Amino acid sequence: MKNIVILISGGGSNMAAIVRAAQSEQWPARIAAVISNKADAGGLAFAEANGIPTAVVPSKEFASREEFDATLRSVIDMYEPDLVVLAGFMRILTAPFVEHYAGRMLNIHPSLLPHFPGLHTHRQALEAGHDRHGATVHIVTAELDHGPVLGQAEVDVLPGDTEDTLAARVLQQEHILYPRVIRSFIEHGAPAQQ
Ligand code: GAR
């Protein structure tokens, strides 16, 4: 049984999709913990209701990124993770933190990388006039939103789309993409070409 630790900052709908898939598909893995940097993250209640240990490491109470990351790392490692999954975890991570989880930390980003790293990806896709948009799962490396891509899901950008309508359609695809990629990663590891 592999241990997966999921980090969230907000609603946690991707986390919930992963938890549901792990249960219904009987993955050879358990969600060992859900950890948030915000005490009011909506996803914590879902995790608790599903019997998953939760923890909060409140980023706003730390004086520096380094101190926060060091504490977060010690909390994560209590759960002996084989895989750390960033699911709407809205933090820039320090290089030592990323290095510690090298090759075993995944992120989902709401754009078709390499397009639109960073924030406001749906707005950026609309402003750029792209007719395809989507989400990317990648291995986390030191450069933000730039690690090796493990999978992508695409949606059409429709006439009349707003940031909200586009975000909602991408999020639906994220809920299919992320569990699929994680399951494959657990069962087969990273693809050979990565
Ligand atoms: C998702 O769209 C995810 O791709 C995005 O935040 C949302 C979280 O939703 N992540 C990032 O922007 C990371 N830079 P959720 O909390 O409902 O899973």
Side-chain angles (χ1 to χ4, degrees):
M1 233 8 175
K2 295 206 168 142
N3 287 329
I4 301 173
V5 171
I6 305 180
L7 306 188
I8 64 170
S9 296
S13 68
N14 276 293
M15 175 272 297
I18 295 161
V19 168
R20 289 196 182 101
Q23 288 170 349
S24 68
E25 297 171 9
Q26 299 186 309
W27 291 3
R30 70 169 72 82
I31 313 305
V34 171
I35 301 173
S36 173
N37 67 313
K38 293 185 181 232
D40 61 357
L44 290 170
F46 175 91
E48 281 159 17
N50 280 270
I52 298 167
T54 62
V56 176
V57 183
S59 45
K60 66 179 182 194
E61 291 178 15
F62 288 81
S64 70
R65 238 175 238 295
E66 287 71 19
E67 288 171 63
F68 170 74
D69 279 7
T71 302
L72 179 63
R73 172 177 153 172
S74 65
V75 174
I76 294 171
D77 285 351
M78 283 169 31
Y79 298 97
E80 301 182 346
D82 298 287
L83 183 63
V84 176
V85 168
L86 309 183
F89 188 63
M90 304 305 280
R91 293 281 308 175
I92 292 172
L93 300 166
T94 59
F97 183 93
V98 172
E99 184 57 33
H100 181 66
Y101 298 108
R104 57 183 175 125
M105 181 156 62
L106 307 186
N107 182 44
I108 190 160
H109 182 76
S111 78
L112 295 174
L113 292 172
H115 294 296
F116 318 130
L119 296 175
H120 309 301
T121 56
H122 311 300
R123 187 188 311 166
Q124 290 190 64
L126 289 170
E127 286 176 357
H130 284 202
D131 56 9
R132 301 287 283 165
H133 184 46
T136 302
V137 176
H138 65 94
I139 297 176
V140 177
T141 56
E143 193 178 357
L144 182 70
D145 300 331
H146 271 84
V149 170
L150 299 182
Q152 292 187 310
E154 296 192 13
V155 303
D156 289 325
V157 180
L158 302 176
D161 255 337
T162 64
E163 269 185 71
D164 286 349
T165 60
L166 192 51
R169 218 157 53 253
V170 171
L171 193 59
Q172 279 183 345
Q173 292 304 312
E174 292 184 40
H175 296 163
I176 300 166
L177 173 70
Y178 213 0
R180 178 167 62 72
V181 171
I182 291 169
R183 181 179 179 178
S184 169
F185 192 87
I186 288 165
E187 292 182 343
H188 310 296
Q193 72 270 21
Q194 299 295 340

